[in-house]
Amino acid sequence: MNIGIVCYPTFGGSGVIATELGKGLANHGHSVHFITYRQPARLESFHENIYYHEVRLNDYPLFEHPPYDTALTSKIVDVCLHEHLDILHVHYAIPHASTAYFAKQILKSHDIQLPVVTTLHGTDITLVGKDPVYEPVVTFSINNSDGVTAVSESLKRDTYEHFDIVKDIEVIPNFVDFNRFVKTNKEHFKKAIAPNGERILVHISNFRKVKRVQDVIKMFCIISKEIPSKLLMIGDGPERVMAENMVRNICHSDVRFLGKQEAVEEVLSIADLFILPSESESFGLAALEAMACEVPVLSSNAGGIPEVNIDGVTGFTVNVGDIDAYVKKAFILLNDNHLLQRFKKQAFEEAEKYDLNKILPLYEKFYQKIIEESKTKVTD
Ligand code: GMT
């Protein structure tokens, strides 16, 4: 297949999934055309089946905000006309689903049918999308996509609850590439971080409000008083300064902010516990990546997280913001070496269900179905 992929090129979960999916499809022999404003963060090396089409924004004094939607629509039309796409897969509804719809209409005037698949990722539904500023466009563009997928059952439910959707939504969960996310021996690194054999706790996020990084610090300060431990905070974003200030006053020497890291799998390889206390999370890709590296997860029970982090098996899930409960569960795991080892193994086994090689064929099958249906629609 000749597949177009529209996504955000950043480290955010939707961009990561879109890029890894594209790379996987290219390895399966498909031609993949990424259409976005910057080279996607995880598209590091050359691949003979991967093409990257940059959406350029030309500035003009009249524009306070250069119209990205228009530039993206034009680029989709251009790529489709010249590369003859069989299907376009857009990740994150805003503004990708509506630009895809517009491009599809333009292509019709060239007698070209472009089937469009929209994948809903989370905040495009639960946070940003339902804002009245965007809602009518989001609803319309979901209903007018040829195929719609959501990354968890929870996100599917939220979509039907918050929008007037008449379209079927197929759940295709996120995935992890075990070629990259694998526990490796990083003993020297572990010694440097935890020289006295302290437990290592890790949090990775974009430090937005929804991630509740303050909960990570609060629980860690209590945990580290009883159990010698270190906390590694990976990522960057608006809440980082607040978190650093919290730490400065309480347990400074035990917490390190590492900023954005390329090789998070190396940090995960030395971790004992991954912490994800989010207020809302459609899936929790960072938790899955931790589990693939044999790290149990202590998380909130928000949104789709409990579908990934199975309470009492791969870690624990507790109510959002319940610091006492987090601490209690952390003690259960970190104080019992035998139990911790069991949870590490169980986390890995659960993660195996989300192996890229298992999920990729689901997308290929879905594309085929949408392409076939779209052909039938034209001949009707
Ligand atoms: O977590 C973020 O803020 C990034 C965001 C995104 O849209 O890129 O992540 C969402 O999509 C990820 C990939 O499908 C999911 O794993 C995250 O759970 C989801 N984030 C939220 O729902 C807050």
Side-chain angles (χ1 to χ4, degrees):
M1 279 180 271
N2 212 6
I3 303 160
I5 292 186
V6 174
C7 64
Y8 284 104
T10 53
F11 278 100
S14 64
V16 167
I17 284 296
T19 312
E20 297 294 348
L21 175 62
K23 288 181 349 193
L25 290 164
N27 286 336
H28 272 204
H30 304 288
S31 293
V32 177
H33 297 263
F34 285 97
I35 307 172
T36 182
Y37 60 84
R38 202 169 56 225
Q39 175 104 359
R42 285 220 188 156
L43 197 63
E44 311 95 351
S45 52
F46 170 78
H47 192 296
E48 56 182 344
N49 294 342
I50 295 183
Y51 304 82
Y52 163 59
H53 306 269
E54 185 166 298
V55 181
R56 292 184 64 88
L57 288 174
N58 288 343
D59 215 353
Y60 183 68
L62 183 67
F63 300 151
E64 198 173 333
H65 309 286
Y68 180 65
D69 299 25
T70 308
L72 175 59
T73 305
S74 296
K75 185 52 93 179
I76 295 172
V77 171
D78 179 71
V79 172
C80 196
L81 285 176
H82 296 99
E83 304 291 348
H84 312 291
L85 300 181
D86 295 309
I87 193 155
L88 181 72
H89 186 177
V90 302
H91 292 260
Y92 205 89
I94 309 166
H96 301 150
S98 53
T99 51
Y101 173 78
F102 193 8
K104 188 181 162 83
Q105 302 314 309
I106 296 171
L107 288 161
K108 270 187 191 161
S109 68
H110 294 264
D111 281 332
I112 292 173
Q113 299 300 324
L114 177 64
V116 171
V117 168
T118 297
T119 289
L120 309 171
H121 276 275
T123 47
D124 47 351
I125 294 301
T126 54
L127 210 67
V128 196
K130 64 185 188 197
D131 184 325
V133 170
Y134 301 111
E135 183 278 321
V137 176
V138 174
T139 304
F140 180 86
S141 49
I142 291 175
N143 279 331
N144 284 280
S145 295
D146 298 286
V148 182
T149 75
V151 299
S152 64
E153 292 292 341
S154 151
L155 184 60
K156 176 178 173 173
R157 279 194 302 275
D158 281 344
T159 310
Y160 284 125
E161 190 180 319
H162 297 303
F163 301 84
D164 193 7
I165 299 301
V166 293
K167 201 90 206 158
D168 281 344
I169 299 177
E170 174 126 345
V171 174
I172 302 185
N174 286 333
F175 51 81
V176 64
D177 182 356
F178 279 88
N179 286 323
R180 175 176 173 183
F181 285 91
V182 59
K183 188 180 170 85
T184 49
N185 189 337
K186 294 277 160 205
E187 216 36 56
H188 57 292
F189 181 31
K190 190 169 182 146
K191 273 249 142 48
I193 298 290
N196 303 309
E198 294 93 338
R199 297 288 193 205
I200 299 178
L201 284 67
V202 173
H203 170 75
I204 305 176
S205 78
N206 50 27
F207 285 62
R208 291 202 217 124
K209 266 209 168 347
V210 74
K211 303 293 173 181
R212 293 187 67 97
V213 281
Q214 74 276 20
D215 288 0
V216 182
I217 309 294
K218 279 184 198 163
M219 71 178 92
F220 179 74
C221 287
I222 305 174
I223 295 165
S224 62
K225 280 198 185 104
E226 188 145 322
I227 301 175
S229 39
K230 301 284 180 185
L231 172 64
L232 301 178
M233 301 286 283
I234 299 178
D236 212 336
E239 296 293 291
R240 179 167 166 180
V241 172
M242 177 277 302
E244 278 182 301
N245 281 336
M246 272 179 85
V247 162
R248 275 180 194 138
N249 298 324
I250 16 188
C251 36
H252 183 225
S253 61
D254 293 325
V255 184
R256 283 169 81 148
F257 287 82
L258 302 183
K260 286 181 186 162
Q261 294 282 322
E262 291 287 341
V264 286
E265 63 279 9
E266 293 186 3
V267 182
L268 290 170
S269 289
I270 63 163
D272 293 299
L273 191 59
F274 184 79
I275 303 182
L276 189 69
S278 306
E279 176 104 39
S280 149
E281 199 76 64
S282 68
F283 184 90
L285 183 61
L288 176 62
E289 291 177 341
M291 286 159 57
C293 294
E294 300 174 35
V295 187
V297 176
L298 178 57
S299 69
S300 73
N301 55 11
I305 303 179
E307 294 174 42
V308 182
N309 180 24
I310 313 299
D311 189 38
V313 180
T314 63
F316 290 109
T317 59
V318 311
N319 289 337
V320 174
D322 189 344
I323 302 297
D324 289 346
Y326 282 120
V327 171
K328 213 168 116 203
K329 299 294 184 185
F331 284 158
I332 292 177
L333 265 185
L334 299 176
N335 273 327
D336 184 340
N337 222 2
H338 183 70
L339 189 71
L340 183 61
Q341 294 313 318
R342 183 146 67 81
F343 270 58
K344 285 184 176 186
K345 187 167 166 279
Q346 288 167 181
F348 173 75
E349 284 167 359
E350 188 64 25
E352 281 186 308
K353 295 182 184 163
Y354 299 90
D355 185 336
L356 167 67
N357 297 317
K358 290 184 180 137
I359 307 298
L360 192 81
L362 304 182
Y363 275 112
E364 288 177 307
K365 209 168 140 209
F366 191 67
Y367 293 163
Q368 286 296 359
K369 180 178 140 223
I370 298 300
I371 292 171
E372 288 311 315
E373 282 174 4
S374 152
K375 280 187 196 147
T376 339
K377 266 186 226 156
V378 175
T379 49
D380 278 352

